[in-house]
Amino acid sequence: MNIGTASERSNLPSKTIRYYEEIKLVKPARAQNGYRDYCDADIHRLRFLQRSRSLGFSIEECRTLLSLYEDKNRASSDVKALALEKITEIDRKVEELQGLRNTLHALAENCHGDDKPDCPIIDDLARKF
Amino acid sequence: MNIGTASERSNLPSKTIRYYEEIKLVKPARAQNGYRDYCDADIHRLRFLQRSRSLGFSIEECRTLLSLYEDKNRASSDVKALALEKITEIDRKVEELQGLRNTLHALAENCHGDDKPDCPIIDDLARKF
DNA sequence: GCTTGACCTTCCAGTGACTGGAACCAACAT
DNA sequence: ATGTTGGTTCCAGTCACTGGAAGGTCAAGC
């Protein structure tokens, strides 16, 4: 199976798939013409990567997950630990973003948003500490 | 004022300050010995940048905000528009993160997290579409 | 048989916003 | 005179791709 088909089936751009090969995440066979030749197991790995990346795992975390996936003797606790860690990380990020959001919102509330140069948002950014 | 002092006063690492000079955000004078020499207005700009960056504006947005800040005839509506756009963007990001969080949470809930290889998180990542 | 176009290959450069490190120069305390 | 601290420049690395150039391959249509 050529890379174009692999791309369609995994929902990943060809460029990304080549990149994943470069960093040794997926190693397809090569056809005689030099084209990459993906088997079903490769597609499976690619989809696994697509999904775990979209769930916010970093490439290195995906590498770990993939090896856990392929380790028949893995402990589910290892995977759970990674997931829980990720949840904490997401919670932290959400909190931070909501803080920013609230600050910006408060500033925008106080800004009449007209033609005049008077602007509390700018004033806040420029405030002395 | 040397870069070290500027760094303390603006709460930005020296490296970052030099980088901001490279991309033409802050252009300090130079002392005779070649050292960067920051005046109060420079510090003001640096703090403005520190604060707007920490509020989640990109460098290019900061550049815009800075020019609006220094434009005595700016309309406050211009600034407000940028802030509101940023809020929308943050809301989108928060929603996305919460989606991820919920998915991960649901998966972790169903995972007993023991020594056995059985793991619903991995199963989900590996699921066929 | 030839051309066209889609698809594949490699390799190099760029993104954003820094960060780390090497090699060197300046200022100041002891 | 020497050591420490703090400047300077420049180059490389980060993360996870993405874009583009230059060229090879394949199937279809004329």
Side-chain angles (χ1 to χ4, degrees), chain A residues 2 29-37:
Chain A
N2 283 349
R30 292 290 177 139
Q32 292 205 321
N33 57 12
Y35 286 18
R36 287 167 181 84
D37 187 12

Side-chain angles (χ1 to χ4, degrees), chain A residues 1 17 21 26-30 36-39 42:
Chain A
M1 187 188 320
I17 298 180
E21 181 178 357
V26 175
K27 310 132 187 140
R30 292 290 177 139
R36 287 167 181 84
D37 187 12
Y38 295 88
C39 66
D42 292 331

Side-chain angles (χ1 to χ4, degrees), chain B residues 21 24 37 39 46 53 69 96 113 125:
Chain B
E21 181 179 357
K24 297 178 188 20
D37 185 14
C39 66
L46 286 173
R53 284 290 296 130
Y69 169 54
E96 191 189 333
L125 291 174

